[in-house]
Amino acid sequence: MEHIRLPKVENVRLLDRVSPRRSRVGTLYLTATHTIFVENEAGVRNETWVLHSLVCSVEKQAATASGCSLLVRCKNFQVLHFVVPRERECHDVHLSLQRLSQPERCEELYCFSYKPNVDEAERRQEWDFLDLKADYSRMGLPNSLWKFSPVNQHYKVSDTYPADLFVPQSATPPVIVGSSKFRSRGRFPTLSYYSKENHAAICRSSQPLSGFSARCLEDEQMLEAILRSNPRSDFMYVVDTRPKLNAIANRAAGKGYENEDNYSNIKFQFIGIENIHVMRNSQQKMLEVCELRSPSMSDFLEGLESSGWLKHIKAVLDAGIFIAKAVAEEGVSVLVHCSDGWDRTAQVCSVASVLLDPHYRTLRGLMVHKQPVFVFLSHRVELCNHLVGDPKEVSPAIDQFLESVWQLMEQFPCAFEFNARFLITIHSHVYSCQYGNFIGNNQRERVELRLRERTHSLWSYLWKNQTDYINPLYRPDHSQTQGLLRPSTAPYCFKSWRGLYNRFDPGMHPRQSVEDYLSAIQEETQQLEEQLASHKQVEKGYKRINSKFLLKKTQSTCSCYRGCTILSSSCLESGIADVSCRSPLSEDSTRDPDSDEAAYSAA
Amino acid sequence: MEFAELIKTPRVDGVILHRPFMPTVEGTLCLTGHHLILSSRQDNAEELWLLHSNIDSIEKRFVGSLGSIIVKCKDLRVIQLDIPGMEECFNIASSVEALSTLDILSLMYPFFYRPMFEVIEDGWNSFLPEDAFKDLETMTDEWRLSDVNKDCTVCPSYPPLVAVPKDVDDDTLRKVATFRHSGRFPVLSYYHKKNGMVMMRAGQPLTGTNGRRCKEDEKLINATLRPGKRGYIIDTRTINLAQQAKARGGGFESEANYPQWRRIHKAIERSNILQESLIKLVEACNDQSHSMDRWLSKLEASNWQTHVKEILTTACLAAQCIDREGASVLVHGTEGTDSTLQVTSLAQIILDPACRTIRGFQGLVEREWLQAGHPFHHRCAQSAFSNSKPRQEAPVFLLFLDCVWQILRQFPCSFEFSESFLVLVFDHAYASQFGTFLGNSTAERAKLSLPEKTVSLWSWVNRPQELERLTNPLYEANSLVIWPSVAPQSLLLWEGVFLRWNRSSKCLDEAYEEMVHIIEYNKELQNKVNSLRRQLAQLETEDPLLQTLE
C-alpha cells in the first residue's frame, strides 16, 4: 500500500487504440493489486481492470495542453493509453505503477494475496489435481528399461532439476553424478518422453563441458545407457538446437557439443534455433507491427517479415518434427540440448511430445505436460519477468510453444481437445502471477516458497471451467486425432496469431465465431438428447400404464422447447456496433474531398 | 474450321499423370476438340477431364526420349504428363497449345455442351432487369425502367433496360451518354430500402482539359438527391490519376458544377497492375524454397492483399455514406466497368442481406457484373501462368470474389453460401461448359445467341443437389448491415483458391464434415423431439384417464 502515491484520479481519458478520437472519460483507481478504470457514462458501469503483475512497462509522455499521456503495456499484449489531466498526477500514477508492477520480493507476488472463495481443503485438492507420476505410469514407467532415480533428492546433483527423475535402468549413481559434472549446471541427460510402443525415448540435458577436446567417461556411459534402453535401435540422435556457430563459440568457454568420435553410435545434428536474445528482439519487433495504428498491408507484411517471428516459429516446429519423426518413424531415441537446456530444449521437446502423443492434445494432457516441461525441468520463469530482474533474461519461449501448438491446431482442426482460448488463458496466467504454478525458477525454489501451501493452482481452475475451452470439432476417435501429426511446414502454412497478439482489438476478429456457434449447438444437442430420452420414457409409460404420475412428469419435462436461435442478438448487433474500428469513413476520408479540392485549385 | 486439323495426335498410351498430393495415374491420353482426357481405363479409377479453355500455358521438358508436358491451368492447378516418345509429346503439346488459345467464341465448348441434367429453371431468364425492377417498384416510385438503350447504341456495354430517375427522359439520357465514358450514363445500382438512399454507377465524365460541362448530367444525378441533401461521388482513382485523365478527354465532376456533391478519391489499381499482382502472388504460392523470409517478401511484393484491402475499404466507404450518412452515392472510375463494379457490388454485400443468399448472389453477379458490362471475355482470357504479354486480362472479378470471401470469413454465419460456391464461380468465369461468362456485354451475348445456344451456369447451380452442396451449414439469416474489418491482420490469403492445389486439404475437409455432422445431428434431434412431443400431446388428448382426471 505504501507504494500507492495517489489512489484515485478523476477525469482521466482512456483512448481507443484504433481511432484515438474516440475516448472514454472516467476515474482511475490504483489498488494494491489492480489498476481500475471506471467509465463516467451515466447508466453503464464499464470497468477496465488491469492486474499490476501483468504490466510490463509504463511510459509517461511529455505533457500537452490536453493532459499528460501514460502508456501502459501489458504482458498479455494489452496496451492502454490514458490521458491524465495534470502532469503532477500523471507523475504519481507513473511512479506508483512502476513500483507496483515490479515487486521486489517474492512475497509481494499476487498469488500470495489472491484469495478466491475456496476453502483450504479444496485448495489443497487443487494441487493434487495433476499427478506427474501418473503421467509417467501412463507412459508405462518405470519398467525394465527406465527407472526412477532418487539421485537428485535434495537437489544436490543439479539444483535446477526436480527431485524426481527417470534415468536408464543401467545408469548407476556414479555414472549420473559423473555425467552431471560434465554438463552445464549439472543438468545430466534425463527422460522427457518415452514411447511405450517402440521404446524410443526423448531425453534432455544441457550442453557438455567439452571445450575443444575434453571428454568424460561417465557422460559417454550415460549416453550409452540411454541407447541401451532402446533395445531395438543401434544408434541415437543427439540434437543440439542451437545454430552451429553459437555452439562452436561456446567451445571457447569450455562448453560446446558432443564429439561423434568419443561417443559410440550417436548421430549428431544441429538445428538452428536462435537464442533468447534474438527471440526477444524478434517478438518485440513483431509486437510493434501488431500495434501499428492503421498500417497499410505492406507495412504489416514487411514488418512481419523483418521481425523474423514466423521464421522462428517455423524453426521450433521443424525441430519438433525432426525429433517426433525420429521417435515414431525410425524408433530412434533422441537426446536434446541447447546451452542450459531450459528454453529451446524445453520448447522443442514439448512440441515433439504434442506431435507424438494424442494424450498431450487433450485438455488434461497439455496441462500435465506444460507443468513438468516448463516448471519442473526449470524453464526459468523469472524469464517472464515476475520480479525486478535482468531484462536480458526475459524469453518468449512459452509464447513460442503455445503459438506452435496454435499453428498445429490451424492445420489439424479436429485433433485437439482444447481450443485457442485455452492457450490464450494459459498464456495470460503464465504472466499474471495469480496462480502459483509458474512462480519460481525450479522445483527447489518452489518448494522453498511453499507454493503448494500458500497459493492456488491454475490447472484446477481451467479444469473447472473446461466447457469454455473445449474444441467442438474434437473427436477422440477421429483419424487425424490418432498417432503422429505430420504438419506441413511450408511457409504459407504459418499465420500471424491475431487471437493472441491482437487480442484486445476486438474489431479485428471475425464478428461471428464458428467455434462458439458449434459449441452452443452441441450444448443444445445434449439437452435435446436428454429431452428425447425422457420423452421416450414418458411415451413408454403412456403405452403401458396411464398413470397420473407420469402425466405430470410429461408436463414438466416438455417444458417447451422452441427451435432456439443460437446467435444471441447482442452478437448480431456487434455486426453494426463496431464499424468504428476500421471503417474508412472516419475523419480522414471525409476530409479527403477538401484536400482534393485544395490540390485541384493548386493544379 | 475442323478441330481435327489442330489435333496432330489424338491418342497416346502409357501416359503418366502427376498431381500434387494425389497418387500418379497411368493411362491413355486423348485429345478431343474441347478436352484433354486421361483415363486409366479401370472402372473405379478417376479420370482427368480438362477443358482446353482452362489451360493457361504449357511447357515441354525432355529427359532422353521421355517427354513431359507441364500443364498450368487457369484455376491455378499445375499438372505434369509424362509422355513416352518425343514426337507424341511434341504433337500433344502443340495441339493443346493451339486448341487452348483458339480465340473464336462460337467454337467454345459451351456451344457444344449438352446438359446431362434436367434443367429445372432456365438460368438465362432468372435475373432479367425487368424482374429486378419489379422488386424496386414495390419499394419506391422514383425510378423508371428506360429502354433508351434497346438496340445497345446509346451505350454498347449496357443492357437494353436500365433504371434511371423517373423525371429524366430518354433524350436527356442520350445527351448524358455523350458526356460519359463509353456512353455509360449514371444508372441505378442499388436502392437502400432502409432510408431510400441510392447508389449509382457510371463512366467518368468527359470534362477534358477545358472543363466541359453537361447540364443534363448535373440534372440527372441531382434528381436522385433529397431536397437540401448532399451526395457523395466516389472516384475509384487517385486525384492525380483523375487529373491526368483530363488530358485524354476524361475527368471528374468539379465542385463548381456539382455543388451538391462531395467527391472522394480512392486508389483502386487498374487492370494491368492487377494482372501483374496475380502473377506474382501465384508465383509466390508455388515457390518451393521453404524460406519464410522469401515467402513473406514475395507475398508483400505481389501487393495482392493491398488490392483486397483497398477495394474493401472503398466498398465500406460507399456503404457507410449510404447507411450511416444517409447520403446517395455515385461511383465511377475511368470506364466504370471494373473498379466501379467491385465497389458497387461489394457495398451491396455489406448492405443488403439478400445479396448474401445463393440466389441473391447470382442476381448480384448478373446485375452488377454481367449486365453492367464487365468485359469477362477480355479480362479472363488468361490467368496467372500466361507467358504472353497481358492485353486486357485482369483479375478484377477474382478480386471481388476474394473480398466476398474475406467478409464471409468475418461473418461465417451470415452467408447462405459456402466458400465452395465462390470457388465455383471463379472456376467458371475462367473456363466453363456454360455460356454465362462468355462475351463482354449483354449486346455481345445477344449477338452470339448465348441464351438460345448455351446453358446457363445458374441452370446447373439452381438444382437441389447442387444447392445442397453449396449451402453454408452455419447460415442464419442476418438482416443487418455487416461491416467488415479491413485491418491487415483481418485480411487473410484466400487459401481455397491460391493454395488449393499446393496443400493437402484432408484435415480441413474432415473438419468441415465434422461441423456439418454436428449441425445435422442437432437438426435430426430437434425433429425427433418435436415429433415425439406431438405424439405425446396427442396421447394426452386421447387419453380417457386424463379427461376423467380433469
Side-chain angles (χ1 to χ4, degrees):
Chain A
M1 279 302 168
E2 71 271 27
H3 308 306
I4 303 172
R5 292 159 161 254
L6 196 64
K8 178 179 169 188
V9 189
E10 285 182 14
N11 288 319
V12 172
R13 277 186 300 138
L14 176 58
L15 301 189
D16 188 287
R17 207 176 69 75
V18 180
S19 46
R21 293 216 177 174
R22 287 160 48 93
S23 61
R24 295 178 281 162
V25 179
T27 308
L28 191 70
Y29 297 92
L30 291 185
T31 74
T33 55
H34 288 84
T35 304
I36 306 162
F37 176 81
V38 183
E39 205 178 326
N40 283 351
E41 192 89 22
V44 283
R45 190 154 175 85
N46 203 339
E47 295 176 5
T48 308
W49 288 57
V50 179
L51 200 58
H52 292 323
S53 44
L54 271 175
V55 172
C56 78
S57 77
V58 194
E59 188 188 323
K60 182 169 151 270
Q61 294 172 337
T64 62
S66 60
C68 192
S69 281
L70 193 68
L71 216 59
V72 180
R73 278 171 216 281
C74 302
K75 292 164 190 163
N76 58 1
F77 312 122
Q78 187 170 22
V79 181
L80 295 159
H81 189 166
F82 294 110
V83 179
V84 183
R86 268 175 297 274
E87 179 167 15
R88 181 74 229 156
E89 294 166 338
C90 188
H91 181 73
D92 284 345
V93 172
H94 181 214
L95 285 185
S96 314
L97 262 180
Q98 238 172 7
R99 178 59 188 82
L100 290 165
S101 64
Q102 293 202 319
E104 282 157 4
R105 289 169 300 122
C106 263
E107 278 58 38
E108 290 176 30
L109 289 173
Y110 182 46
C111 59
F112 296 112
S113 55
Y114 173 62
K115 297 277 177 278
N117 197 7
V118 174
D119 66 41
E120 183 54 26
E122 209 177 315
R123 197 200 59 75
R124 240 174 287 135
Q125 264 177 12
E126 283 178 7
W127 282 101
D128 297 329
F129 172 69
L130 287 187
D131 182 0
L132 293 171
K133 286 214 172 112
D135 192 45
Y136 282 115
S137 58
R138 193 191 59 85
M139 287 193 232
L141 299 177
N143 62 8
S144 61
L145 301 167
W146 293 89
K147 65 179 179 195
F148 171 78
S149 165
V151 69
N152 200 36
Q153 215 41 264
H154 302 288
Y155 312 107
K156 288 215 173 91
V157 179
S158 170
D159 61 351
T160 59
Y161 261 0
D164 305 340
L165 291 166
F166 275 85
V167 294
Q169 195 62 252
S170 57
T172 58
V175 167
I176 297 174
V177 172
S179 166
S180 81
K181 290 192 173 132
F182 190 63
R183 296 269 166 186
S184 222
R185 295 180 187 248
R187 292 166 73 91
F188 58 89
T190 170
L191 185 75
S192 158
Y193 177 80
Y194 170 74
S195 162
K196 226 179 347 191
E197 286 81 35
N198 62 9
H199 308 302
I202 304 174
C203 296
R204 61 194 141 198
S205 68
S206 58
Q207 62 185 339
L209 304 173
S210 54
F212 290 100
S213 59
R215 49 192 293 191
C216 164
L217 200 62
E218 288 92 339
D219 194 58
E220 289 160 27
Q221 285 168 345
M222 186 72 188
L223 264 66
E224 179 74 35
I226 294 172
L227 178 58
R228 244 181 283 148
S229 281
N230 183 6
R232 274 183 250 168
S233 161
D234 51 10
F235 75 97
M236 68 183 278
Y237 286 110
V238 175
V239 170
D240 189 327
T241 56
R242 295 169 293 184
K244 189 169 181 183
L245 218 62
N246 301 18
I248 291 175
N250 262 298
R251 283 187 5 190
K255 298 165 188 171
Y257 53 93
E258 291 81 356
N259 183 340
E260 278 188 35
D261 300 337
N262 299 342
Y263 294 83
S264 49
N265 305 317
I266 66 163
K267 280 192 185 169
F268 189 83
Q269 182 87 31
F270 283 112
I271 295 183
I273 300 178
E274 297 291 347
N275 65 27
I276 59 170
H277 312 297
V278 174
M279 296 301 191
R280 194 179 49 243
N281 288 337
S282 166
Q283 189 183 40
Q284 198 48 48
K285 276 192 195 158
M286 186 264 302
L287 289 173
E288 280 163 20
V289 173
C290 290
E291 262 180 48
L292 287 176
R293 194 183 293 152
S294 47
S296 75
M297 203 75 212
S298 295
D299 293 340
F300 180 72
L301 289 174
E302 263 170 27
L304 196 62
E305 184 205 334
S306 71
S307 78
W309 181 252
L310 287 178
K311 182 172 67 187
H312 299 315
I313 297 288
K314 178 170 151 58
V316 170
L317 199 55
D318 276 327
I321 292 170
F322 176 84
I323 296 164
K325 281 194 172 162
V327 169
E329 290 178 354
E330 295 182 67
V332 173
S333 294
V334 186
L335 170 66
V336 187
H337 69 72
C338 46
S339 299
D340 290 321
W342 47 43
D343 286 310
R344 288 169 276 200
T345 303
Q347 239 174 17
V348 165
C349 290
S350 334
V351 170
S353 314
V354 168
L355 290 167
L356 278 165
D357 195 335
H359 177 69
Y360 296 127
R361 295 173 225 140
T362 62
L363 217 55
R364 200 181 184 105
L366 190 85
M367 297 195 279
V368 166
H369 196 54
K370 278 193 64 66
Q371 186 78 1
V373 165
F374 280 104
V375 181
F376 283 93
L377 271 154
S378 156
H379 173 73
R380 307 210 307 162
V381 172
E382 147 209 284
L383 307 180
C384 312
N385 208 4
H386 291 327
L387 294 173
V388 182
D390 184 359
K392 285 210 186 83
E393 288 302 316
V394 181
S395 153
I398 289 189
D399 306 18
Q400 286 179 323
F401 168 69
L402 292 172
E403 181 168 341
S404 302
V405 174
W406 178 79
Q407 301 280 4
L408 290 173
M409 287 163 66
E410 287 286 294
Q411 285 194 40
F412 302 95
C414 306
F416 291 83
E417 190 189 18
F418 46 83
N419 57 17
R421 197 179 294 135
F422 182 64
L423 300 178
I424 292 169
T425 308
I426 291 179
H427 179 272
S428 238
H429 286 297
V430 164
Y431 297 95
S432 74
C433 298
Q434 189 165 340
Y435 296 94
N437 307 67
F438 298 103
I439 308 297
N441 290 326
N442 49 55
Q443 200 185 36
R444 195 184 51 136
E445 273 186 39
R446 297 161 51 73
V447 169
E448 281 165 8
L449 284 170
R450 295 188 299 117
L451 291 166
R452 278 184 91 98
E453 289 98 76
R454 297 164 67 199
T455 69
H456 291 263
S457 166
L458 171 65
W459 307 129
S460 82
Y461 164 80
L462 292 174
W463 189 252
K464 269 185 218 145
N465 295 284
Q466 55 175 297
T467 46
D468 289 345
Y469 304 120
I470 294 284
N471 169 15
L473 294 173
Y474 173 74
R475 254 187 25 213
D477 55 345
H478 210 286
S479 66
Q480 64 175 275
T481 312
Q482 314 303 316
L484 176 69
L485 295 185
R486 290 183 181 79
S488 160
T489 57
Y492 48 67
C493 294
F494 292 81
K495 297 168 195 159
S496 161
W497 191 7
R498 63 176 175 213
L500 180 64
Y501 304 113
N502 286 105
R503 213 182 132 184
F504 293 93
D505 296 308
M508 279 183 198
H509 304 287
R511 305 305 165 81
Q512 296 170 330
S513 152
V514 174
E515 193 186 287
D516 291 349
Y517 180 91
L518 291 178
S519 296
I521 287 214
Q522 273 186 334
E523 203 176 305
E524 194 198 88
T525 301
Q526 217 167 16
Q527 289 167 9
L528 285 170
E529 275 171 342
E530 284 160 21
Q531 283 186 26
L532 198 64
S534 75
H535 281 356
K536 274 189 178 151
Q537 220 173 14
V538 175
E539 196 193 21
K540 250 188 232 160
Y542 257 123
K543 285 182 178 161
R544 274 194 215 130
I545 32 161
N546 291 328
S547 83
K548 184 179 167 186
F549 166 74
L550 278 168
L551 278 173
K552 267 195 180 157
K553 192 171 174 198
T554 332
Q555 278 152 351
S556 61
T557 50
C558 275
S559 60
C560 94
Y561 165 72
R562 279 165 281 132
C564 81
T565 27
I566 287 177
L567 289 173
S568 68
S569 58
S570 69
C571 167
L572 280 173
E573 271 159 31
S574 73
I576 322 190
D578 229 320
V579 215
S580 61
C581 287
R582 286 277 161 178
S583 261
L585 189 77
S586 48
E587 304 76 20
D588 297 343
S589 46
T590 34
R591 219 172 34 232
D592 262 350
D594 302 332
S595 57
D596 291 344
E597 272 164 40
Y600 174 59
S601 57
Chain B
M1 198 188 72
E2 290 291 325
F3 291 118
E5 290 167 24
L6 298 173
I7 303 172
K8 292 175 182 156
T9 301
R11 216 187 103 161
V12 188
D13 290 320
V15 173
I16 298 167
L17 165 69
H18 302 273
R19 289 173 293 186
F21 302 105
M22 289 206 239
T24 55
V25 181
E26 186 175 346
T28 303
L29 179 73
C30 297
L31 291 187
T32 71
H34 293 108
H35 286 97
L36 179 157
I37 304 158
L38 187 116
S39 164
S40 63
R41 303 206 166 172
Q42 272 146 19
D43 290 341
N44 49 0
E46 202 197 334
E47 292 185 339
L48 172 78
W49 282 70
L50 199 62
L51 264 180
H52 293 315
S53 58
N54 190 3
I55 295 173
D56 209 23
S57 78
I58 71 166
E59 286 166 25
K60 297 182 283 278
R61 261 186 222 160
F62 290 97
V63 182
S65 69
L66 179 78
S68 299
I69 58 173
I70 293 152
V71 180
K72 299 183 173 177
C73 303
K74 289 177 189 160
D75 61 13
L76 309 182
R77 170 171 28 166
V78 179
I79 59 171
Q80 183 181 331
L81 295 161
D82 295 344
I83 301 170
M86 288 262 257
E87 199 192 331
E88 280 83 357
C89 187
F90 264 114
N91 286 345
I92 294 286
S94 63
S95 309
V96 169
E97 193 131 31
L99 288 163
S100 61
T101 49
L102 267 186
D103 200 26
I104 305 164
L105 269 179
S106 58
L107 288 181
M108 300 297 267
Y109 185 53
F111 290 98
F112 299 82
Y113 170 74
R114 291 292 156 260
M116 304 285 282
F117 57 88
E118 192 198 349
V119 174
I120 298 172
E121 178 195 344
D122 185 359
W124 286 112
N125 301 322
S126 298
F127 306 100
L128 300 172
E130 46 269 43
D131 294 335
F133 188 75
K134 272 181 207 137
D135 295 340
L136 181 69
E137 272 182 317
T138 64
M139 298 183 272
T140 170
D141 58 357
E142 293 164 328
W143 295 81
R144 70 183 185 94
L145 205 55
S146 162
D147 63 354
V148 66
N149 196 39
K150 61 175 175 291
D151 40 14
C152 297
T153 47
V154 176
C155 172
S157 57
Y158 273 171
L161 295 170
V162 288
V164 294
K166 195 166 206 166
D167 305 334
V168 178
D169 59 28
D170 284 358
D171 281 337
T172 310
L173 292 177
R174 280 187 201 100
K175 281 183 192 140
V176 176
T178 61
F179 182 66
R180 291 276 171 178
H181 195 110
S182 309
R184 294 177 68 91
F185 54 88
V187 294
L188 180 75
S189 158
Y190 171 67
Y191 179 86
H192 197 44
K193 198 173 162 186
K194 189 164 126 194
N195 59 9
M197 293 301 132
V198 296
M199 179 160 58
M200 287 176 297
R201 52 181 156 74
Q204 65 177 340
L206 304 174
T207 57
T209 37
N210 49 10
R212 206 163 74 104
R213 65 187 284 191
C214 170
K215 291 272 185 205
E216 288 80 7
D217 187 73
E218 292 156 29
K219 184 187 155 201
L220 193 164
I221 70 165
N222 286 340
T224 65
L225 292 177
R226 299 273 158 85
K229 281 277 202 173
R230 298 236 292 178
Y232 286 90
I233 293 173
I234 296 176
D235 192 327
T236 61
R237 304 163 295 181
T238 59
I239 178 73
N240 281 338
L241 275 177
Q243 289 279 10
Q244 285 162 19
K246 284 183 173 177
R248 290 187 297 275
F252 51 86
E253 297 82 354
S254 67
E255 290 70 31
N257 299 340
Y258 298 84
Q260 287 165 286
W261 296 82
R262 295 182 103 183
R263 209 179 61 251
I264 303 174
H265 288 272
K266 299 301 285 186
I268 300 182
E269 286 296 350
R270 313 288 107 196
S271 55
N272 50 348
I273 292 174
L274 300 182
Q275 181 69 8
E276 238 170 74
S277 168
L278 174 68
I279 291 171
K280 281 189 187 162
L281 173 69
V282 171
E283 206 225 295
C285 292
N286 288 317
D287 186 310
Q288 299 297 323
S289 74
H290 273 242
S291 148
M292 184 63 79
D293 286 351
R294 205 166 138 139
W295 157 247
L296 287 172
S297 92
K298 281 185 151 190
L299 177 66
E300 191 270 318
S302 81
N303 268 329
W304 184 265
Q305 297 295 90
T306 304
H307 301 317
V308 169
K309 181 166 159 38
E310 199 56 52
I311 294 165
L312 262 181
T313 307
T314 312
C316 286
L317 172 68
Q320 220 164 10
C321 291
I322 294 171
D323 188 69
R324 288 295 179 83
E325 306 277 308
S328 285
V329 172
L330 169 67
V331 185
H332 69 74
T334 306
E335 297 93 344
T337 54
D338 294 288
S339 56
T340 305
L341 305 183
Q342 289 172 330
V343 173
T344 57
S345 54
L346 283 169
Q348 293 180 51
I349 294 270
I350 293 168
L351 292 170
D352 185 2
C355 293
R356 298 174 220 139
T357 63
I358 295 184
R359 205 182 166 82
F361 187 77
Q362 295 170 19
L364 183 75
V365 170
E366 277 285 342
R367 271 194 332 270
E368 291 301 303
W369 290 90
L370 291 159
Q371 292 163 15
H374 176 66
F376 276 98
H377 180 62
H378 287 152
R379 297 287 182 260
C380 302
Q382 301 260 254
S383 107
F385 297 113
S386 157
N387 299 318
S388 53
K389 204 170 177 303
R391 295 172 308 248
Q392 291 180 301
E393 293 82 2
V396 175
F397 187 61
L398 174 57
L399 271 164
F400 158 70
L401 294 176
D402 194 328
C403 292
V404 176
W405 178 80
Q406 305 286 352
I407 308 178
L408 169 66
R409 277 295 299 242
Q410 296 186 25
F411 295 88
C413 307
S414 297
F415 286 79
E416 192 193 9
F417 49 86
S418 62
E419 176 180 357
S420 50
F421 181 51
L422 296 173
V423 178
L424 175 109
V425 173
F426 158 64
D427 287 345
H428 284 276
Y430 278 82
S432 175
Q433 65 269 45
F434 303 108
T436 301
F437 292 102
L438 288 185
N440 289 314
S441 62
T442 307
E444 276 190 39
R445 278 176 209 111
K447 215 189 268 171
L448 288 163
S449 317
L450 288 177
E452 294 80 38
K453 292 186 178 166
T454 73
V455 183
S456 161
L457 171 63
W458 315 133
S459 305
W460 183 65
V461 168
N462 290 326
R463 294 172 306 132
Q465 57 271 52
E466 277 313 305
L467 289 174
E468 196 193 317
R469 200 175 64 82
L470 302 171
T471 300
N472 173 10
L474 299 166
Y475 178 59
E476 285 198 3
N478 173 1
S479 62
L480 299 166
V481 176
I482 53 176
W483 298 107
S485 157
V486 294
Q489 286 95 324
S490 307
L491 302 176
L492 309 171
L493 178 71
W494 190 7
E495 297 177 28
V497 162
F498 298 109
L499 302 177
R500 178 161 40 149
W501 315 100
N502 305 16
R503 51 153 202 202
S504 155
S505 61
K506 187 175 154 271
C507 293
L508 301 179
D509 293 345
E510 282 172 358
Y512 188 82
E513 277 160 31
E514 184 63 37
M515 180 178 91
V516 172
H517 168 79
I518 290 171
I519 295 166
E520 304 261 285
Y521 179 58
N522 176 274
K523 279 188 189 144
E524 192 188 307
L525 276 182
Q526 278 184 23
N527 291 337
K528 273 192 191 156
V529 169
N530 285 337
S531 80
L532 252 179
R533 273 185 49 213
R534 272 195 301 276
Q535 275 180 31
L536 284 174
Q538 212 171 6
L539 280 172
E540 217 165 304
T541 51
E542 284 166 5
D543 197 317
L545 236 174
L546 185 77
Q547 278 155 13
T548 52
L549 274 170
E550 279 173 354

